[in-house]
Amino acid sequence: FQRFFEQASGVTLPIVTGGAGDKTLVYIGAGESLAASSLARAADREYGQEESRILISSDGVVIAGGRPRGVLYGVYRFLEDYLDVRFLTADVTHVPPFPLRKRVKDVDSTYDPPFEFRFYLKPEVIDSKAFTVRRRQNGHNPNSTNNIPESMGGTSPAKFFLHNNMGYHGGGFEEHPEYYT
């Protein structure tokens, strides 16, 4: 968050723990500082593992969510939705300038991915774990040992993978229409 925010705005946000008095803060994840702030309502409940919540007000910004991936997904959602950052490929990220005087509207937005398992079989997604997570994918080919590291939320325990080469199963549509549903 800090690196992309700096690229967009030219401002390096300090990383602090504990309260900061009357300063407007960006809270990433729940903690004592958030609980003691006027934005504590963002930590008012348990979130699903991949659910994220973004709360923006004149008092600050909160990116909260579940563990292991919700907070991280919230960070990438914030960067995309409010700073217009675009993660185009594993090697190309577009970070447009963000004017410091621009006011972002107040928001309280929660998102939970509708699919439990998300995996796209493409080499750059398989090879770049950071890009995989930025795309909010949580899976991998079950025949691979190339898991998403725990520091990035880990790999979903779901293990579903389907390849579309139906010819290997013998017979065509006439014999096995259920293969093609």
Side-chain angles (χ1 to χ4, degrees):
F1 182 89
Q2 182 189 46
R3 180 169 47 99
F4 289 117
F5 188 86
E6 180 178 8
Q7 287 176 12
S9 69
V11 174
T12 303
L13 296 174
I15 297 174
V16 298
T17 57
D22 59 352
K23 293 182 181 178
T24 302
L25 300 177
V26 176
Y27 300 92
I28 298 179
E32 292 177 19
S33 297
L34 176 59
S37 78
S38 62
L39 300 171
R41 67 186 180 277
D44 62 355
R45 66 178 181 85
E46 294 291 321
Y47 294 96
Q49 290 182 345
E50 298 185 348
E51 184 181 13
S52 62
R53 182 176 182 182
I54 296 174
L55 177 62
I56 302 171
S57 79
S58 59
D59 292 335
V61 173
V62 178
I63 302 172
R67 301 286 181 184
R69 289 174 283 278
V71 175
L72 184 57
Y73 288 170
V75 166
Y76 291 126
R77 192 164 65 94
F78 179 91
L79 294 170
E80 289 180 340
D81 292 354
Y82 302 101
L83 298 183
D84 294 325
V85 172
R86 295 293 178 257
F87 302 105
L88 302 174
T89 70
D91 298 322
V92 178
T93 299
H94 174 68
V95 183
F98 185 83
L100 291 178
R101 297 271 185 238
K102 182 178 178 181
R103 172 81 168 106
V104 177
K105 294 179 184 177
D106 288 1
V107 70
D108 190 350
S109 169
T110 303
Y111 180 77
D112 197 6
F115 292 101
E116 181 179 342
F117 180 75
R118 297 172 310 281
F119 172 68
Y120 181 53
L121 184 59
K122 187 172 180 184
E124 74 178 337
V125 173
I126 294 168
D127 296 339
S128 173
K129 297 307 165 209
F131 187 58
T132 298
V133 175
R134 288 175 184 154
R135 292 179 51 89
R136 264 81 85 212
Q137 295 182 43
N138 62 4
H140 70 97
N141 182 338
N143 298 320
S144 168
T145 58
N146 197 11
N147 292 326
I148 300 168
E150 291 301 320
S151 63
M152 294 181 171
T155 301
S156 171
K159 300 290 183 199
F160 179 80
F161 182 77
L162 173 66
H163 202 283
N164 61 355
N165 291 330
M166 296 300 175
Y168 295 126
H169 300 289
F173 179 78
E174 295 299 322
E175 188 176 339
H176 292 284
E178 72 275 13
Y179 290 175
Y180 298 87
T181 56

